[in-house]
Amino acid sequence: MSSRGAVLFDLDGTVVDTVELIRESHRHAVTNVLGRDLPDEVLVAGVGKPLPEQMAAFDPEQVPALLEAYQRWNWANTASLIREYDGIADLLGRLQEAGRPLGIVTSKREVTVDLAWAELPLRQYFETIVTADDTTEHKPHPAPVLLALERLGVGAEDATFVGDAPFDLRAAHAAGVRAVAVTWGFFGREELAAEQPAVVVDTPAQLAEVLL
Ligand SMILES: [Mg+2]
């Protein structure tokens, strides 16, 4: 299963552990703006899509207020709630040493991505970062994956996309790259396996075996 070539990563729930941060940011917005108390799985059901789309799913009439409440809480709590997944920095270092082109493809805006790098020193591993600001179409559309490949100068046949969401796997398949699913983020093995990725892994050590 080992391979050569570029490796693209989703950010949230894949490279950085923002599961609690994002879930609680959603809860804050939905509780304060809509006065609703939603279960965890509903709060995070749209994670991986751009924020305005996620907010529209809660209430299409209240998107600006929901966004403002989300972002204010998220930015104020990033430093205390964002975490590094054990073994990810080691894996990224090994891939970089092996000369593998590495990139991020995220539906987050650049300003929020930079908040993550300010807390966790992982930016150095990536040659390119594709954010929601860079494309008009977003995952599960292939556009952001294709832009990352173009920036890295590699073809789809030489690339793998690693993500924790069904949207990541659909974007990978639509772009023609190998899809690898990780179970340590927002979604469970069953939902991920339903997208038929090349492989589903449970730990960064297993991911290293697949990628190196
Ligand atoms: Mg994710």
Side-chain angles (χ1 to χ4, degrees):
M1 199 49 142
S2 294
S3 71
R4 297 168 299 113
V7 187
L8 305 176
F9 291 86
D10 166 58
L11 181 62
D12 293 283
T14 300
V15 170
V16 299
D17 181 358
T18 45
V19 172
E20 184 182 1
L21 173 65
I22 288 176
R23 189 189 62 229
E24 295 312 309
S25 299
H26 278 305
R27 194 188 316 281
H28 175 83
V30 166
T31 303
N32 281 270
V33 177
L34 304 179
R36 295 174 69 189
D37 180 18
L38 298 176
D40 289 0
E41 62 271 22
V42 176
L43 290 172
V44 301
V47 169
K49 291 182 179 175
L51 265 183
E53 281 184 48
Q54 296 186 57
M55 296 311 170
F58 296 132
D59 186 342
E61 308 286 306
Q62 295 286 344
V63 171
L66 286 164
L67 272 179
E68 204 210 326
Y70 178 99
Q71 278 172 342
R72 189 190 302 243
W73 198 93
N74 184 274
W75 293 358
N77 290 279
T78 292
S80 59
L81 292 182
I82 196 169
R83 312 244 188 281
E84 199 168 320
Y85 286 116
D86 284 345
I88 284 289
D90 177 67
L91 169 62
L92 293 171
R94 289 170 66 194
L95 289 166
Q96 191 177 51
E97 270 172 36
R100 306 283 290 278
L102 305 179
I104 291 281
V105 178
T106 176
S107 300
K108 258 187 176 168
R109 292 174 53 215
E110 187 178 10
V111 61
T112 319
V113 173
D114 287 344
L115 284 182
W117 304 141
E119 299 303 325
L120 304 174
L122 300 171
R123 172 68 184 86
Q124 58 185 308
Y125 296 111
F126 301 103
E127 279 178 45
T128 187
I129 312 278
V130 174
T131 74
D133 302 314
D134 294 318
T135 58
T136 50
E137 302 280 1
H138 307 287
K139 296 181 285 187
H141 195 280
V145 178
L146 294 172
L147 177 61
L149 294 176
E150 186 187 322
R151 287 180 178 175
L152 293 174
V154 301
E157 67 281 4
D158 291 321
T160 298
F161 187 98
V162 181
D164 74 306
F167 310 118
D168 297 320
L169 308 176
R170 283 179 216 163
H173 286 147
V177 313
R178 181 171 73 145
V180 171
V182 305
T183 60
W184 56 76
F186 285 91
F187 297 88
R189 172 172 279 272
E190 207 169 305
E191 282 167 284
L192 296 168
E195 302 294 332
Q196 301 188 300
V199 60
V200 182
V201 298
D202 297 315
T203 65
Q206 287 176 8
L207 182 57
E209 278 175 37
V210 169
L211 295 177
L212 283 158

